Amino acid sequence: MTASSALVLVVEDDPAIQNFLKASLSTQGYRIIQAGLGKEGLALAASHVPDLVVLDLGLPDIDGLAFIAGLRAWSPAPIVVVSARGREQEKVAALDAGADDFLTKPFGVGELLARLRAALRRAVAAPSDGGEAGRYEVGDLSVDLDLRRVTLSGSELHLTPIEYRLLGVLVRNPGKVLTHNFLLKAVWGPMNADQTQYLRVYMANLRRKIERDPARPRYLLTELGVGYRLVSE
Ligand code: CA
């Protein structure tokens, strides 16, 4: 399956955004099925088994989180949610419920297509088979988790064990926004208090090592109020 022949289910009740999505995706060769209601979307997913779902969180019939739970009960297809600016809690809840990424309205076609490509690439590269999942090469930054080697423009970087574990989680999820909760659990295990501040300090340290200009990061992006993303291209 090439990325562009993928079947995309769009669940969105706003006709203007539906049309925008349909036009943007069909010119790239994606096949599209559309639903304006959550229940209709779940039924279409069951009958057509899409490769990817674009989901508006504000649907007239069921809650977007209920849609995610309903789909995740049987399907691993990536879910990219569409949400309004300023609804960070909603995005975090959707990501923690099993969504893969989010787009903030209004979004451009370039951003949309990049997110879908990244989500489809991750879905195709089965994370359990190791190999590719442990290597990252974007721009001047190169990470090989098997060799435990991180280089920037060919110069080896020296990371602390926690910085290395954080980077490892990010490298295994290229292009994906990872919530604070997800990162805290993945690196430190179950936490009983809000340790987001703690995470911020480690991320700042990691950024000082892997970024040429930590104030304007090229690789490790902050998603305000949500989490972090390691760019995939
Ligand atoms: Ca809506």
Side-chain angles (χ1 to χ4, degrees):
M1 180 187 72
T2 64
S4 61
S5 71
L7 179 65
V8 178
L9 168 62
V10 174
V11 186
E12 164 68 75
D13 61 307
D14 182 330
I17 297 177
Q18 262 200 16
N19 289 339
F20 168 75
L21 289 168
K22 186 167 188 173
S24 310
L25 298 182
S26 54
T27 56
Q28 299 294 314
Y30 288 102
R31 293 172 297 133
I32 300 154
I33 44 177
Q34 287 181 294
L37 296 172
K39 284 179 184 164
E40 184 193 355
L42 284 172
L44 269 183
S47 58
H48 288 69
V49 193
D51 300 304
L52 185 145
V53 177
V54 178
L55 171 70
D56 173 26
L57 285 178
L59 295 169
D61 61 338
I62 60 171
D63 187 73
L65 295 180
F67 180 97
I68 294 169
L71 189 75
R72 276 289 168 269
W74 64 273
S75 169
I79 302 171
V80 177
V81 301
V82 174
S83 168
R85 204 168 292 282
R87 306 288 292 271
E88 274 66 33
Q89 281 313 313
E90 185 179 77
K91 294 170 195 166
V92 170
L95 293 165
D96 284 339
D100 293 78
D101 204 349
F102 66 83
L103 284 158
T104 302
K105 293 179 187 175
F107 50 86
V109 63
E111 188 184 4
L112 165 73
L113 295 174
R115 295 296 170 77
L116 301 199
R117 278 197 302 274
L120 285 167
R121 268 202 303 269
R122 283 192 304 271
V124 169
S128 54
D129 69 5
E132 286 300 314
R135 276 199 294 278
Y136 176 87
E137 296 216 16
V138 172
D140 293 334
L141 180 63
S142 167
V143 181
D144 188 322
L145 295 179
D146 294 332
L147 298 176
R148 292 186 70 87
R149 191 176 155 84
V150 183
T151 61
L152 187 65
S153 294
S155 309
E156 188 153 6
L157 303 179
H158 298 283
L159 306 184
T160 67
I162 288 193
E163 288 164 1
Y164 188 79
R165 279 165 72 182
L166 264 176
L167 186 60
V169 175
L170 290 157
V171 162
R172 289 189 190 92
N173 296 278
K176 181 172 178 174
V177 60
L178 303 179
T179 65
H180 299 127
N181 270 344
F182 179 90
L183 285 163
L184 287 166
K185 277 195 196 126
V187 174
W188 286 279
M191 314 280 281
N192 49 17
D194 180 15
Q195 305 279 1
T196 305
Q197 189 57 42
Y198 201 44
L199 179 64
R200 198 167 292 138
V201 171
Y202 278 101
M203 282 298 192
N205 291 342
L206 181 57
R207 199 174 260 155
R208 270 195 284 277
K209 294 184 181 176
I210 68 170
E211 299 285 357
R212 294 206 178 286
D213 182 358
R216 278 180 297 168
R218 156 77 173 89
Y219 305 108
L220 181 51
L221 306 185
T222 297
E223 295 287 353
L224 273 181
V226 178
Y228 296 90
R229 178 197 307 274
L230 189 69
V231 301
S232 63
E233 49 190 66

Short mmCIF file of all heavy atoms in Angstrom, two decimals, residues 63-85:
data_model
loop_
_atom_site.label_atom_id
_atom_site.label_comp_id
_atom_site.label_asym_id
_atom_site.label_seq_id
_atom_site.Cartn_x
_atom_site.Cartn_y
_atom_site.Cartn_z
N ASP A 63 -19.97 11.76 21.67
CA ASP A 63 -18.73 12.42 22.04
C ASP A 63 -17.58 11.83 21.22
O ASP A 63 -17.57 10.62 20.95
CB ASP A 63 -18.51 12.18 23.53
CG ASP A 63 -17.34 12.97 24.06
OD1 ASP A 63 -17.47 14.20 24.19
OD2 ASP A 63 -16.28 12.37 24.29
N GLY A 64 -16.63 12.69 20.82
CA GLY A 64 -15.48 12.20 20.07
C GLY A 64 -14.72 11.11 20.82
O GLY A 64 -14.21 10.17 20.22
N LEU A 65 -14.66 11.22 22.16
CA LEU A 65 -13.96 10.20 22.95
C LEU A 65 -14.67 8.85 22.86
O LEU A 65 -14.03 7.80 22.86
CB LEU A 65 -13.85 10.63 24.41
CG LEU A 65 -13.00 11.87 24.68
CD1 LEU A 65 -12.97 12.17 26.17
CD2 LEU A 65 -11.59 11.70 24.14
N ALA A 66 -16.01 8.89 22.76
CA ALA A 66 -16.77 7.65 22.62
C ALA A 66 -16.48 7.01 21.26
O ALA A 66 -16.39 5.78 21.15
CB ALA A 66 -18.27 7.92 22.77
N PHE A 67 -16.30 7.86 20.24
CA PHE A 67 -15.94 7.33 18.93
C PHE A 67 -14.58 6.63 19.00
O PHE A 67 -14.41 5.52 18.50
CB PHE A 67 -15.88 8.46 17.88
CG PHE A 67 -15.52 7.95 16.51
CD1 PHE A 67 -16.49 7.68 15.56
CD2 PHE A 67 -14.18 7.71 16.18
CE1 PHE A 67 -16.15 7.19 14.31
CE2 PHE A 67 -13.83 7.21 14.93
CZ PHE A 67 -14.81 6.95 14.00
N ILE A 68 -13.61 7.30 19.65
CA ILE A 68 -12.26 6.72 19.74
C ILE A 68 -12.30 5.38 20.46
O ILE A 68 -11.72 4.39 20.02
CB ILE A 68 -11.30 7.70 20.45
CG1 ILE A 68 -11.11 8.95 19.59
CG2 ILE A 68 -9.95 7.04 20.73
CD1 ILE A 68 -10.41 10.10 20.30
N ALA A 69 -13.04 5.33 21.58
CA ALA A 69 -13.15 4.08 22.34
C ALA A 69 -13.81 3.00 21.49
O ALA A 69 -13.37 1.84 21.48
CB ALA A 69 -13.94 4.31 23.64
N GLY A 70 -14.85 3.38 20.75
CA GLY A 70 -15.57 2.42 19.91
C GLY A 70 -14.68 1.85 18.81
O GLY A 70 -14.69 0.65 18.55
N LEU A 71 -13.88 2.71 18.19
CA LEU A 71 -13.00 2.25 17.12
C LEU A 71 -11.83 1.43 17.68
O LEU A 71 -11.48 0.36 17.17
CB LEU A 71 -12.45 3.43 16.31
CG LEU A 71 -11.70 3.04 15.05
CD1 LEU A 71 -12.68 2.58 13.96
CD2 LEU A 71 -10.84 4.17 14.51
N ARG A 72 -11.24 1.94 18.77
CA ARG A 72 -10.07 1.27 19.36
C ARG A 72 -10.40 -0.11 19.92
O ARG A 72 -9.50 -0.93 20.13
CB ARG A 72 -9.45 2.13 20.46
CG ARG A 72 -8.49 3.19 19.95
CD ARG A 72 -7.20 2.58 19.45
NE ARG A 72 -6.38 3.54 18.70
CZ ARG A 72 -6.45 3.72 17.40
NH1 ARG A 72 -7.29 3.00 16.65
NH2 ARG A 72 -5.69 4.60 16.78
N ALA A 73 -11.69 -0.40 20.13
CA ALA A 73 -12.08 -1.72 20.64
C ALA A 73 -11.68 -2.81 19.64
O ALA A 73 -11.49 -3.96 20.02
CB ALA A 73 -13.58 -1.75 20.91
N TRP A 74 -11.56 -2.46 18.37
CA TRP A 74 -11.23 -3.51 17.39
C TRP A 74 -10.23 -3.07 16.32
O TRP A 74 -9.67 -3.90 15.61
CB TRP A 74 -12.51 -3.99 16.69
CG TRP A 74 -13.18 -2.92 15.89
CD1 TRP A 74 -14.09 -2.00 16.35
CD2 TRP A 74 -12.98 -2.61 14.51
NE1 TRP A 74 -14.46 -1.14 15.33
CE2 TRP A 74 -13.80 -1.50 14.19
CE3 TRP A 74 -12.18 -3.17 13.50
CZ2 TRP A 74 -13.83 -0.94 12.92
CZ3 TRP A 74 -12.23 -2.60 12.23
CH2 TRP A 74 -13.05 -1.50 11.96
N SER A 75 -9.98 -1.75 16.16
CA SER A 75 -9.15 -1.29 15.04
C SER A 75 -7.92 -0.53 15.51
O SER A 75 -8.02 0.37 16.34
CB SER A 75 -9.97 -0.38 14.13
OG SER A 75 -9.11 0.27 13.19
N PRO A 76 -6.74 -0.84 14.93
CA PRO A 76 -5.53 -0.07 15.24
C PRO A 76 -5.30 1.09 14.26
O PRO A 76 -4.26 1.74 14.33
CB PRO A 76 -4.42 -1.12 15.07
CG PRO A 76 -4.92 -2.00 13.97
CD PRO A 76 -6.44 -1.99 14.05
N ALA A 77 -6.27 1.37 13.36
CA ALA A 77 -6.06 2.42 12.36
C ALA A 77 -5.75 3.75 13.05
O ALA A 77 -6.41 4.12 14.02
CB ALA A 77 -7.31 2.57 11.49
N PRO A 78 -4.74 4.49 12.55
CA PRO A 78 -4.42 5.77 13.18
C PRO A 78 -5.62 6.73 13.13
O PRO A 78 -6.35 6.76 12.15
CB PRO A 78 -3.26 6.32 12.34
CG PRO A 78 -2.89 5.29 11.36
CD PRO A 78 -3.85 4.16 11.43
N ILE A 79 -5.78 7.49 14.22
CA ILE A 79 -6.85 8.49 14.31
C ILE A 79 -6.19 9.86 14.48
O ILE A 79 -5.43 10.08 15.43
CB ILE A 79 -7.76 8.23 15.54
CG1 ILE A 79 -8.37 6.83 15.47
CG2 ILE A 79 -8.85 9.31 15.63
CD1 ILE A 79 -9.11 6.43 16.75
N VAL A 80 -6.46 10.76 13.54
CA VAL A 80 -5.99 12.14 13.65
C VAL A 80 -7.20 13.00 13.99
O VAL A 80 -8.15 13.07 13.20
CB VAL A 80 -5.33 12.62 12.33
CG1 VAL A 80 -4.92 14.08 12.43
CG2 VAL A 80 -4.13 11.74 11.99
N VAL A 81 -7.21 13.61 15.18
CA VAL A 81 -8.38 14.39 15.57
C VAL A 81 -8.22 15.84 15.15
O VAL A 81 -7.12 16.37 15.04
CB VAL A 81 -8.67 14.29 17.10
CG1 VAL A 81 -8.91 12.87 17.53
CG2 VAL A 81 -7.57 14.92 17.90
N VAL A 82 -9.35 16.46 14.88
CA VAL A 82 -9.42 17.86 14.49
C VAL A 82 -10.14 18.58 15.62
O VAL A 82 -11.21 18.17 16.05
CB VAL A 82 -10.20 17.99 13.17
CG1 VAL A 82 -10.40 19.45 12.83
CG2 VAL A 82 -9.47 17.27 12.05
N SER A 83 -9.51 19.65 16.13
CA SER A 83 -10.07 20.30 17.30
C SER A 83 -9.82 21.81 17.24
O SER A 83 -8.90 22.26 16.57
CB SER A 83 -9.41 19.69 18.54
OG SER A 83 -9.69 20.44 19.69
N ALA A 84 -10.64 22.57 17.93
CA ALA A 84 -10.49 24.03 17.92
C ALA A 84 -9.33 24.44 18.81
O ALA A 84 -8.97 23.75 19.76
CB ALA A 84 -11.78 24.68 18.39
N ARG A 85 -8.73 25.61 18.49
CA ARG A 85 -7.66 26.16 19.30
C ARG A 85 -8.17 26.43 20.71
O ARG A 85 -9.33 26.77 20.89
CB ARG A 85 -7.18 27.47 18.67
CG ARG A 85 -5.79 27.88 19.02
CD ARG A 85 -5.32 29.02 18.13
NE ARG A 85 -5.14 28.61 16.74
CZ ARG A 85 -4.08 27.92 16.30
NH1 ARG A 85 -3.12 27.57 17.11
NH2 ARG A 85 -3.98 27.59 15.03
#
